[in-house]
Amino acid sequence: AQKVTQAQTEISVVEKEDVTLDCVYETRDTTYYLFWYKQPPSGELVFLIRRNSFDEQNEISGRYSWNFQKSTSSFNFTITASQVVDSAVYFCALFPVYGQNFVFGPGTRLSVLP
Amino acid sequence: GAGVSQSPRYKVAKRGQDVALRCDPISGHVSLFWYQQALGQGPEFLTYFQNEAQLDKSGLPSDRFFAERPEGSVSTLKIQRTQQEDSAVYLCASSLAGTSSGYEQYFGPGTRLTVT
């Protein structure tokens, strides 16, 4: 069975704080992709990052970074120096290569206060 | 370039009516997906097309839901005899290549369906 859990339902931070969004996934597949998407109030899901299951190298891209730990099935996402425009719902998603579709987590609503 | 577009953006239907939701994918994208997103939830997969072929419809909740993509471009999701539990945002996404590539999917703004 495939499942994505985002334990944090809502997070509020003050602008310029760093914030980490947690994601834990379950899959029996050995080959898969993990994604983070952002859904602002306009409703459109915006792609942020993708990682495949063979690449546990953690990277930084601008204010975004991620921590992929295969041993704990976690794929956490960090925003550094948060801004008000980062306020949105963030979804972690699992894509098993031999499946046909995304499995999304329930989302974490991030509010960045000025 | 244009992204994925969906129409209408909002639809109110009376219980029992049929509705049709349209998706225009990004030009050249082979794969097209439909998702249902209930309020406060993550999107849930409904169905997937590769070109005009519907390769997976395992997520369609009942036989009242039907999707087509006859020419491998525009797709329509049809819901017959709408029920209140069908109220949700219906998201369409397209992708450059087949799903096994793991390519990111580009999402449209969604159609918010309210069944009264």
Side-chain angles (χ1 to χ4, degrees):
Chain A
Q2 327 276 359
K3 186 179 179 181
V4 176
T5 302
Q6 294 178 252
Q8 303 150 309
T9 305
E10 292 190 37
I11 300 176
S12 288
V13 298
V14 177
E15 202 170 19
K16 298 184 183 177
E17 286 185 357
D18 298 348
V19 57
T20 295
L21 309 180
D22 298 335
C23 173
V24 174
Y25 62 93
E26 296 176 28
T27 181
R28 294 179 184 172
D29 292 300
T30 56
T31 305
Y32 50 88
Y33 288 86
L34 294 163
F35 291 75
W36 277 96
Y37 277 87
K38 172 183 178 180
Q39 189 173 44
S42 60
E44 195 164 329
L45 280 160
V46 178
F47 166 78
L48 296 175
I49 57 174
R50 176 186 67 217
R51 215 77 196 135
N52 73 55
S53 52
F54 295 111
D55 185 359
E56 289 189 70
Q57 182 178 352
N58 296 312
E59 292 186 14
I60 297 173
S61 176
R63 295 187 299 111
Y64 299 154
S65 63
W66 49 95
N67 187 339
F68 177 27
Q69 300 275 350
K70 206 168 178 179
S71 59
T72 57
S73 297
S74 66
F75 185 52
N76 297 338
F77 176 66
T78 297
I79 303 173
T80 302
S82 59
Q83 301 174 1
V84 172
V85 293
D86 295 328
S87 297
V89 180
Y90 288 81
F91 291 98
C92 179
L94 166 69
F95 189 90
V97 169
Y98 298 107
Q100 296 293 339
N101 62 82
F102 273 110
V103 176
F104 282 87
T108 297
R109 181 176 297 278
L110 172 65
S111 297
V112 181
L113 308 174
Chain B
V4 177
S5 61
Q6 293 185 246
S7 60
R9 288 295 311 278
Y10 303 91
K11 177 69 179 177
V12 178
K14 290 186 177 177
R15 187 174 171 226
Q17 282 185 334
D18 297 348
V19 298
L21 312 180
R22 177 188 170 102
C23 172
D24 278 276
I26 293 173
S27 178
H29 277 196
V30 169
S31 300
L32 185 145
F33 306 80
W34 283 98
Y35 294 86
Q36 181 189 59
Q37 186 176 19
L39 189 64
Q41 311 265 337
E44 292 196 1
F45 171 80
L46 293 177
T47 187
Y48 153 63
F49 291 86
Q50 189 162 321
N51 296 306
E52 68 278 3
Q54 188 175 20
L55 298 187
D56 187 345
K57 54 182 180 179
S58 62
L60 295 176
S62 78
D63 58 8
R64 297 185 294 104
F65 286 70
F66 171 76
E68 60 183 7
R69 193 186 185 196
E71 297 178 357
S73 178
V74 170
S75 177
T76 303
L77 176 67
K78 297 179 180 178
I79 309 173
Q80 296 176 325
R81 306 181 302 282
T82 52
Q83 303 293 317
Q84 283 193 318
E85 61 262 29
D86 300 334
S87 296
V89 175
Y90 291 85
L91 294 167
C92 176
S94 69
S95 177
L96 190 59
T99 59
S100 62
S101 67
Y103 279 19
E104 58 265 31
Q105 296 178 14
Y106 295 84
F107 284 79
T111 294
R112 181 177 296 278
L113 172 65
T114 303
V115 181
T116 61

